[in-house]
Amino acid sequence: MKKSSKKYIWNFLLIIGFTVLVLWFTLKDDYQEMMNQISRVSWYWLMIILCWGLLYNCIIAWIYKTFGRKYKANYSNVEALENAFIGTFFSGVTPSATGGQFGQMYIMKKQGIKMSDGASLLWADFIVYQTTMMIYVSILFLLVFATVYEKNAFFLLVFCGYIVNICVICALWTMALFPRAFVKLSQWGVILLSKLHIVKNRERTLSAWTLQMEAFTTEIKRLKKDKRLIFKTVLINVLRLTTLYSLPFIICFAMGEPLHLTQLVTVIAMSSFVTMANTFIPIPGASGGTEWAFVAIFTQIIQPTLAKSVMIFWRFSTYHFVMMVGGLVFVFAKRKYDRKEVME
């Protein structure tokens, strides 16, 4: 437990360090102009921008509630919200968002969902979200990418991130269609890694991977039978992505630099390109790289100084603020369930 706490503290310091560094580079040349732009945002717009990140997580909670009712008939809104914010918190403080599922499995067990059912719920969410996101982003690529690619070589990185994500979703569906072949392939891979002394406990790793594959294939079979559930969660995920990607458009309006409504699709596309570029940033929260990618991408449609100002609001709303809320939710939820166990 102490080792885990030290790791999270180190990750927090890393996030803070990269954030401070990026802010310094962002502000050092355009400080006065950026302060003028930021100061034009009224208090009520500031509240809307902050709540936008919370709204995004509430939509995720809606998806968890939809899936959660399959495993716990009375799965409540509060439990779904806990799951969403805690997942966001642990994803944000771990490299490549690897800790989100750990935190969610922990809290779902406290909520009365079996570990196997919790794994199935997370697999279902991941499959539907990843598939929806790549179809969504692919449409945006077709609409916008060709017009911006020639303007900036940085978009080559975005395209590489897109290809990597396409490969991930193709691998997922290949796993679903040929699970036995993937189990055998993974066994060979684990054996090779154990011989190279990268994997220490070969049998334990093989067992864990086999269980994950079984949960994955089981969930695929369940999803195929429930087309109504798939359709509903796909629609909610489209809302989820549109909410997240449209925030820069709202911030520009709040800063008194409104974009034309015809540019909304371009803004949504640019935001999705930031997500693609983040594929190669293993730092917790993709700190540093995310801010840099946002400014590099959005300077194609707005002035560089404005892009930096928008980035500060966007990043705080979608990452730092929801991280703080997620941390508080985890603390209070843990106390609540620990107290409940003691009373029982």
Side-chain angles (χ1 to χ4, degrees), residues 205-258:
T205 304
L206 282 170
S207 176
W209 176 251
T210 302
L211 286 171
Q212 284 291 325
M213 279 299 303
E214 288 175 353
F216 175 77
T217 52
T218 300
E219 197 53 40
I220 284 286
K221 291 175 183 177
R222 286 179 181 175
L223 283 173
K224 284 181 180 178
K225 295 176 182 177
D226 199 341
K227 291 181 174 59
R228 185 178 179 182
L229 178 66
I230 295 174
F231 183 72
K232 182 178 180 180
T233 51
V234 164
L235 288 180
I236 302 172
N237 271 297
V238 170
L239 176 63
R240 168 184 181 177
L241 292 166
T242 305
T243 300
L244 177 65
Y245 293 153
S246 61
L247 179 57
F249 188 88
I250 302 298
I251 296 171
C252 284
F253 188 87
M255 296 180 73
E257 302 280 353

Side-chain angles (χ1 to χ4, degrees), residues 66-104:
T66 303
F67 283 124
R69 289 287 175 91
K70 289 170 57 183
Y71 309 103
K72 184 180 176 183
N74 61 341
Y75 197 60
S76 68
N77 291 323
V78 172
E79 290 172 324
L81 282 167
E82 289 171 349
N83 196 354
F85 278 100
I86 289 169
T88 298
F89 171 71
F90 278 100
S91 293
V93 296
T94 51
S96 301
T98 51
Q101 291 79 10
F102 165 79
Q104 289 173 307

